[in-house]
């Protein structure tokens, strides 16, 4: 992410936190996304782009007190909110990093285990990563399909990857829903002062999300596809082959 994007999301961290937690239906979606990771007590799960931490308690509920939850995001003000939201859990760890180069693989685990947060490195080095969750993230990445490949490689065969993203609805009532969705995308795309784009942000977002979800379907078996929130949110999860 560029520095301007970090500044943008940092400046609006409080508003994003409110939207992430209070949007009607969003709590049910987050519980469903956590359940789709197919976690067991004691597992290790990584959330790429954890934002203000709205998913982390749901993931912790799935892995229990013996498991490990790792949230990764690149924006410090956002991470501060995530840490505050999960301070009561000693097995939820929030790290600053890039979702395309997460500080959790085996090599990263060795370096992390020598630092302040040794629990993260020890958990990853001991048992690997059982699942990766990414909600509302792939649309921000330059190569969404490549990121999905990396996440599948991180969990390995038998692990689970789950994506949830917002794109234009295909339902019969889609026109007014998509009009609102387009406005939200434009307002949430830095810089927000731009009135004209060479290509429409919502169409660019749709293409990235399509690429990421299709790549996951290619890499996984037992794939589940769902839509939520008026057909705007697509949830795809599967076990990596």
């Amino acid at each position: 992410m560029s520095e301007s994007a970090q500044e943008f999301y940092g400046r609006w961290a409080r508003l994003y936190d409110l939207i992430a937690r209070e949007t009607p239906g969003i709590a049910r979606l987050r519980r469903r996304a956590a359940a789709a990771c197919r976690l067991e007590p004691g597992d290790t799960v990584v959330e790429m782009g954890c934002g203000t931490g709205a998913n982390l308690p749901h993931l912790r509920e799935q892995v229990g007190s013996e498991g490990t939850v790792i949230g990764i995001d690149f924006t410090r003000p956002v991470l501060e909110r995530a840490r505050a939201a999960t301070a009561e859990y000693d097995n939820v760890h929030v790290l600053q990093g890039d979702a395309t180069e997460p500080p959790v693989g085996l090599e990263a685990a060795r370096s992390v285990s020598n630092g302040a947060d040794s629990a993260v490195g020890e958990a990853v080095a001991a048992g690997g990563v059982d699942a990766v969750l990414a909600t509302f993230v792939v649309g921000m990445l330059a190569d969404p399909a490549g990121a999905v490949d990396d996440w599948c490689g991180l969990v390995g065969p038998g692990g689970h990857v789950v994506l949830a993203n917002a794109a234009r609805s295909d339902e019969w009532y889609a026109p007014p829903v998509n009009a609102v969705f387009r406005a939200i995308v434009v307002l949430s795309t830095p810089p927000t002062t731009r009135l004209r784009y060479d290509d429409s942000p919502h169409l660019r977002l749709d293409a990235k999300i399509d690429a990421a979800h299709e790549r996951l379907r290619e890499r996984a078996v037992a794939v589940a596809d769902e839509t939520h929130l008026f057909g705007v949110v697509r949830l795809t999860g599967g076990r990596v082959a």
Side-chain angles (χ1 to χ4, degrees), residues 26 42 57 79 96 101 114 126 147 154 157 161 180 188 199 214 222 231:
I26 197 68
L79 288 173
Q96 186 168 20
E101 297 179 355
N114 292 325
L154 179 62
V161 175
V180 174
S188 61
D199 57 340
E214 183 57 34

Side-chain angles (χ1 to χ4, degrees), residues 77-237:
V78 164
L79 288 173
E80 291 172 355
R81 288 184 170 271
R83 289 193 179 102
T86 57
E88 64 183 290
Y89 306 120
D90 59 6
N91 61 333
V92 177
H93 310 276
V94 180
L95 306 178
Q96 186 168 20
D98 191 326
T100 62
E101 297 179 355
V104 287
L106 289 180
E107 289 301 319
R110 295 188 184 100
S111 64
V112 171
S113 64
N114 292 325
D117 205 345
S118 60
V120 175
E122 290 170 1
V124 174
V129 175
D130 299 290
V132 165
L133 172 64
T135 62
F136 310 113
V137 171
V138 298
M140 304 179 190
L141 306 179
D143 181 13
V148 171
D149 280 333
D150 291 341
W151 300 339
C152 289
L154 179 62
V155 302
H160 287 81
V161 175
V162 176
L163 308 176
N165 293 285
R168 289 182 300 166
S169 173
D170 294 325
E171 301 291 346
W172 63 267
Y173 47 73
V177 173
N178 288 337
V180 174
F181 174 70
R182 180 184 181 280
I184 292 173
V185 171
V186 171
L187 289 173
S188 61
T189 301
T192 56
T193 53
R194 185 181 299 179
L195 298 178
R196 293 181 179 273
Y197 292 84
D198 294 333
D199 57 340
S200 299
H202 66 292
L203 297 180
R204 188 166 67 245
L205 178 65
D206 279 0
K208 289 185 175 185
I209 289 169
D210 286 344
H213 285 243
E214 183 57 34
R215 181 59 56 85
L216 180 55
R217 295 184 193 101
E218 295 169 356
R219 294 292 307 270
V221 295
V223 175
D225 275 309
E226 303 174 2
T227 58
H228 297 264
L229 299 178
F230 303 103
V232 170
V233 175
R234 305 173 188 177
L235 189 152
T236 301

